[in-house]
Structure formats: C-alpha cells, structure tokens
Amino acid sequence: MTFDDLLNKIGDFGKYQKRIYFFLCLPAISCALHKLSGVFILAKTDYRCQLPSEPANASYYLPPNIMNMSYPFDYKLDHFSSCKMYDTNFTKAYYSSNITANQSIDCHRWIYDRHDFQNTAVMEFNLVCDRAWYKGTADSMLMVGVMLGSIIFGYLSDRIGRKNIFVISVLLQGIAGCGMAFTQEYWSFTFLRVLVGASTSGLYLAAYVIGLEFVSSKYRMVVGVIIQMFFSVGFLLTSGFAYAFHENWRYFQLAITIPTLFYTTYYWFVPESVRWLLTNGKQEKAVQILQKVCRVNGVDISGKDIIEILECDVEKKLTVQADAQPKASFFDLFKHPEILKRSIIIMLLWFVNSTAYYGLSWSTSNLGGNQYFVFNLFGIVEFPAYIFLLATLNKWGRKINISGFLILAGLALLATLAIPKTNTWVVIFFAMMAKMSITASYGAVYVYTAEQFPTVVRNMGLGVGSFFARIGGIVAPYINNTSEIWVNMPLVVYGGLALLVGVWSLVLPETLNRKLPDTIEDLIAMSEKKYKLVLKNDPATNGDAKKDKDKY
C-alpha cells in the first residue's frame, strides 16, 4: 500500500479533513481583501485644480460660469480639464463675467469630490495628473510582492514546512498591513504594499498545499476550486469593509488587517502536512497526526499498521528514485517544437487570465454606476463561474472550458465598443459577462497546465505559468491607467488579448481522461502523426489505434 491507499482507508476527505479544510479556506478571504483593497484605498474620484482664491476644504462643485472661466475644456475626455486651469485674476473673476484668460497652466493643488469617499490615499498623496501613474505603481508593486512571495515562500515551505510558512506569513501580513495604516508618505506606503502582497502568497500557498496534501487525488479538483470560492467571498466583503470605513482609508486598512491575526491560533490546532513530514523523515509526528485523523473519522486502525504502510511507501519511493533518469532542466520546456508550442501557449494563458481578472476587478470605478454595487456584482458572478466549472470540467473537458470562456470574454469586452456612452449599465453587463468567463477560465488553467506537461517538467511548467500570471498582475494597473487617454482602452486591450489567446489555445490537445506522459519522449511520440500510423499497423494493437491512443 502507498500513502494514497492509506488515505482511502482512513478517509480521503473525511470529517477531520473537512473540518481542517474549512479553517484553511478562511485565509483566502484575507488574501482577497488585501489584493482588492486598492480599488477603494486608491479609489479614483473626480477632482479639479484648486483656484488661488479657494481654501483647501472648498467644495468640489462650482457654478458653470466659474468652471467655464477657470478651466479649459478637454474635448478628448469630454469634460473640463482636471490638471490645468486658466492663468487669470480669479479674485475679479468671481465678480465679473468679462475676464479673459490668456493661457492655461498646470496646477499643483487639487480639490476632490468627497461624496463617495471622504479620504483615500490618492487624495492624501495627490496621485493625479502627472502623478497618476503612481496609483498604478502602487497596485503593480503589490503584485511584485505576490510574485516574490510565491518564489520565496514556495521554496521555504519545502524547506521548513508549510505550517511555519503559514504563521510567518500571518505575522508579516499583520505587521505590514497595520504599518500601511500609519504611513505618512507614498514610497513607504508602496513598500509596505510589497510586503503585504508577499504575505498573501505565503498565506494562500501554505493553506492551499496543506489542504491539498490531506486529500486523495479523487478530491483534489474539488478542493482546489472551493478555496477559490472563499477568495470570492473575500471579494464581496471588500466592498462591505470599504463602505463601513469610507470616511478614512486608514481605518479601512486596519479593519481588513487586524482579523488576520486570528490565524496565529492555527499554530495550535492545524496540523503540518503529513506528506511533508514523511518526505523530511519526521515519521513519528506523521503517525501521530494520522492516528488523530483515524479517531475523528471513526476508523479503527493501529499505529503499527500505519507505520508498516508508510515504511512500505518510503521503500517504493527510494527504489523509484534509485532507478530514476537524470532530472530534466528548465530549458527542456523549450527544446522540442511540440513542448515549445505548449509552453508558449500555457504562459500566455496564465498571463492573459491574470491580467484580465485583476484588471477588470480593479477597474470597476471606470465603468460608471455606484462603485460599491458594481464591485459587488463583479464578485457575485464568480460563484456561478466556479459552480459551472465544477459541473463541466470532468464532463466537457478542460479545452472547451478554457478556450471557450476566453473567447466569450474577448467578444463580450470588444462588444462594449458598439455601446453608446450613455448606456452605462449595458457596458457593465458585458463587463460582468467577461469577468465571469475569465474567472471560469482562470479556475481551470491550473489543472490544464499540469496535464499538458510530462512528469519530468510538470512542476517547472506550473512554475513558469504562475510566474507569467504574476507578470500579468503587475501590468494590469498600467493598462487600467490608459483610461485616462481613452475610457474604453482597458476593455479593448483585455478583450483583444482574451480573444487572441483563446483562439490560439485551441491547438492544444484535450487532456480529460487521457494518460499523462512521463517523459518528453513520451510527449513527442504521442503528438506525432506517424505515431498514430504505427499504432494502426502494429499487430500488437490488433489495428485498434483509437483504443491505444485513448490511453494517452
């Protein structure tokens, strides 16, 4: 028997695993709160230049005649300029309608519309006009932290354990998150967002892996999708916290951070991954955990029997390792045309899914309508996306889900070009359709990636895909900033990328119920047309080429 056989015997997703898995899903809510908090902390509000005669607390709204005399009209954006004002005598302008402005000048102080948000980081740090790109940088640096965290904490979780990384990430998120609430200048604020981003990777990664390694392969897809649904719960809670603390972004930041410290209690009741313990020679601790699993699941099996099964499994693994061929390298992902094709498309799939997912999630303020309500709609559509995915991924296959949803998202986003600006809610509807489609595609891409690569480079393939997802998250805020040039530009970029890569990914093979290749040679042989001819003419197959092909 192997460890997987033991899991089947003691409960591959029994009462104990379900209880622990529920607690491990909760950190996904905190990760969503921090990843999406920038929508409200860095909320974009209307603003205008502060006139020389105005106090800093002046109302944003001015009479039309004063607006006309004070600001040049921006015909590209179809409203008065927010970054320039006329160089004129504003004291006399209030009492006369005959003041003639000679030229416009850049302004360096602004009055903000505080109707929806009393105070945001954008207002405090004046991230507008020539500093507008700083807002995108703050979100990009968060995703830089996510990328660094996935690399650093991913490595350390294999070295010092998943549980230790979980606790370290909780403390890092608590310290950096609270520090953000008290920072007084932009660059300190941005640096702390890098640390918060890194902590979300460590927290999510450790919780995800512990939960995944406690169930058999039969339940891994379900476990992997359900934890993403908890992320969607965090998506919805983000707007709730933002609405409750809209007076000051600092209170909002503290509100989403302080509950994270509750996860430090996990150190006393969430177990370390049994697979990690066994891999690192900690069999005694692993047996203690497995005995507890048996007690809670109501399974009668002695510690002696558990030890015998585990020792047998270790001996098999040592034998396999002794007979194993030299390890494949990173460059093997790009050597043969067939695996090169798969590598490129997989990288693009991760990049586009991540870019569109976070780009659309962060750009709800650009779509119009009530920001809280629109943001909630974008969170709600994730639930039917995941439910549909659970129902169809093992029925219809991976390819039709990923490619089909990407193409649908691309068409929905590009369709917004034909909608008049006045039909705000029609634009929002199509953007919601795209968000739901991207969510479903993103939820399936992890499984599809693992099945596209042979065993010897599977982890490397997943790592490269995940790396490009982080690049997508870094780029997305800057794509959103192009709305300053043309309001539809972000939707066009996301739609064009989704449609292009969705169509291109159709060349990848379906992997549902197919045997996975173990070596690169297996992959090459399975992909070549002449291999099918050999199968057809081989007497050993009795001419049943389809039967043998389906094994793969």
Side-chain angles (χ1 to χ4, degrees):
M1 292 180 69
T2 65
F3 179 71
D4 286 323
D5 296 324
L6 178 61
L7 272 180
N8 290 329
K9 188 172 183 178
I10 66 176
D12 45 5
F13 195 38
K15 183 178 179 181
Y16 180 87
Q17 287 98 322
K18 289 175 182 176
R19 180 190 301 170
I20 294 300
Y21 180 65
F22 171 76
F23 284 106
L24 289 172
C25 285
L26 294 179
I29 297 176
S30 293
C31 292
L33 287 169
H34 285 285
K35 282 187 175 182
L36 299 166
S37 63
V39 174
F40 301 102
I41 287 176
L42 295 161
K44 178 184 175 183
T45 61
D46 292 330
Y47 57 94
R48 60 176 177 82
C49 295
Q50 181 182 343
L51 302 177
S53 55
E54 286 186 301
N57 63 347
S59 171
Y60 167 77
Y61 299 98
L62 288 175
N65 65 317
I66 300 299
M67 291 291 292
N68 191 51
M69 289 186 296
S70 305
Y71 306 105
F73 195 82
D74 190 330
Y75 289 95
K76 288 184 178 179
L77 299 178
D78 197 29
H79 60 68
F80 285 103
S81 175
S82 301
C83 301
K84 292 182 180 294
M85 62 183 178
Y86 284 130
D87 184 12
T88 187
N89 188 329
F90 290 96
T91 302
K92 294 181 179 179
Y94 277 98
Y95 302 98
S96 172
S97 59
N98 299 318
I99 299 298
T100 302
N102 297 322
Q103 60 181 358
S104 61
I105 58 173
D106 294 332
C107 57
H108 304 286
R109 293 181 299 174
W110 294 267
I111 301 295
Y112 296 94
D113 182 1
R114 300 180 186 272
H115 180 267
D116 293 323
F117 301 97
Q118 293 294 314
N119 182 39
T120 68
V122 169
M123 297 176 186
E124 280 200 22
F125 304 137
N126 288 320
L127 308 182
V128 295
C129 297
D130 59 342
R131 287 169 57 88
W133 66 275
Y134 281 29
K135 176 182 180 296
T137 299
D139 278 328
S140 287
M141 294 308 291
L142 175 81
M143 298 308 291
V144 168
V146 173
M147 180 174 68
L148 293 175
S150 64
I151 296 171
I152 295 170
F153 289 127
Y155 170 77
L156 290 177
S157 68
D158 288 334
R159 302 286 293 180
I160 65 175
R162 287 77 161 103
K163 187 174 175 178
N164 288 328
I165 289 301
F166 181 91
V167 175
I168 291 171
S169 299
V170 168
L171 295 175
L172 177 62
Q173 190 169 108
I175 295 169
C178 290
M180 274 180 60
F182 295 99
T183 187
Q184 297 299 313
E185 54 88 30
Y186 172 78
W187 291 110
S188 297
F189 169 83
T190 304
F191 173 72
L192 289 171
R193 275 178 71 79
V194 174
L195 297 183
V196 169
S199 72
T200 62
S201 278
L203 199 61
Y204 190 88
L205 177 70
Y208 181 88
V209 172
I210 292 174
L212 201 67
E213 292 182 339
F214 255 107
V215 300
S216 66
S217 57
K218 178 182 177 182
Y219 289 96
R220 284 175 192 164
M221 186 196 75
V222 176
V223 165
V225 173
I226 289 177
I227 195 171
Q228 295 181 62
M229 295 178 76
F230 275 79
F231 188 94
S232 300
V233 172
F235 198 120
L236 296 177
L237 288 176
T238 303
S239 62
F241 276 104
Y243 184 78
F245 299 97
H246 68 279
E247 297 90 353
N248 195 311
W249 70 270
R250 298 179 186 277
Y251 298 150
F252 169 58
Q253 179 62 34
L254 286 173
I256 65 173
T257 300
I258 292 175
T260 303
L261 298 176
F262 160 76
Y263 301 130
T264 56
T265 61
Y266 281 26
Y267 183 81
W268 289 278
F269 71 89
V270 171
E272 178 58 91
S273 165
V274 172
R275 292 180 188 271
W276 183 84
L277 291 171
L278 294 173
T279 303
N280 288 271
K282 302 179 184 292
Q283 189 184 85
E284 183 178 346
K285 182 64 176 176
V287 171
Q288 291 176 4
I289 294 172
L290 289 172
Q291 286 179 315
K292 186 174 182 180
V293 174
C294 292
R295 287 198 302 272
V296 176
N297 289 350
V299 177
D300 185 18
I301 182 171
S302 68
K304 182 180 178 181
D305 290 337
I306 292 174
I307 292 173
E308 288 179 357
I309 293 170
L310 295 179
E311 287 179 347
C312 179
D313 192 25
V314 170
E315 288 177 6
K316 287 182 179 180
K317 289 179 179 178
L318 290 174
T319 302
V320 170
Q321 290 176 3
D323 297 336
Q325 298 177 352
K327 289 185 177 181
S329 71
F330 167 79
F331 299 102
D332 287 319
L333 289 172
F334 310 98
K335 283 184 177 179
H336 188 273
E338 176 61 27
I339 198 169
L340 173 64
K341 176 187 71 177
R342 296 191 183 197
S343 297
I344 292 174
I345 297 176
I346 288 297
M347 288 187 292
L348 289 173
L349 281 173
W350 282 85
F351 175 82
V352 170
N353 275 289
S354 177
T355 304
Y357 178 86
Y358 286 108
L360 290 173
S361 299
W362 289 332
S363 67
T364 52
S365 60
N366 295 334
L367 299 174
N370 182 283
Q371 291 193 41
Y372 300 104
F373 183 65
V374 174
F375 186 85
N376 274 336
L377 289 178
F378 272 57
I380 289 171
V381 296
E382 293 195 359
F383 291 97
Y386 287 130
I387 292 171
F388 186 85
L389 198 62
L390 285 170
T392 62
L393 198 58
N394 284 339
K395 185 177 181 181
W396 293 357
R398 287 74 160 110
K399 183 175 176 177
I400 191 172
N401 275 290
I402 293 178
S403 300
F405 277 120
L406 273 179
I407 292 170
L408 178 60
L411 293 174
L413 290 172
L414 293 177
T416 59
L417 291 174
I419 302 170
K421 294 180 180 179
T422 54
N423 294 338
T424 300
W425 285 103
V426 179
V427 174
I428 291 172
F429 172 77
F430 279 99
M432 283 173 52
M433 289 291 295
K435 175 66 188 315
M436 181 173 67
S437 300
I438 287 294
T439 300
S441 175
Y442 205 0
V445 75
Y446 190 97
V447 175
Y448 196 44
T449 299
E451 294 174 345
Q452 285 294 330
F453 293 104
T455 304
V456 292
V457 291
R458 186 164 294 130
N459 282 341
M460 279 184 275
L462 285 166
V464 169
S466 180
F467 178 81
F468 272 81
R470 305 289 81 80
I471 297 296
I474 293 169
V475 170
Y478 294 111
I479 296 176
N480 285 345
N481 273 5
T482 61
S483 64
E484 300 285 341
I485 303 170
W486 179 34
V487 69
N488 286 336
M489 181 68 80
L491 300 183
V492 172
V493 173
Y494 299 138
L497 287 173
L499 184 60
L500 178 65
V501 176
V503 172
W504 195 6
S505 63
L506 289 171
V507 304
L508 291 177
E510 177 56 70
T511 56
L512 177 64
N513 297 328
R514 302 292 175 87
K515 180 181 177 181
L516 302 181
D518 290 320
T519 66
I520 294 174
E521 289 73 21
D522 289 342
L523 178 68
I524 295 170
M526 289 158 56
S527 64
E528 291 178 349
K529 292 182 179 179
K530 64 180 181 181
Y531 182 66
K532 297 179 182 179
L533 295 175
V534 170
L535 283 174
K536 187 174 182 179
N537 297 322
D538 188 350
T541 67
N542 295 321
D544 193 355
K546 184 178 186 301
K547 180 179 178 181
D548 278 81
K549 185 186 75 170
D550 286 345
K551 293 179 181 179
Y552 298 94

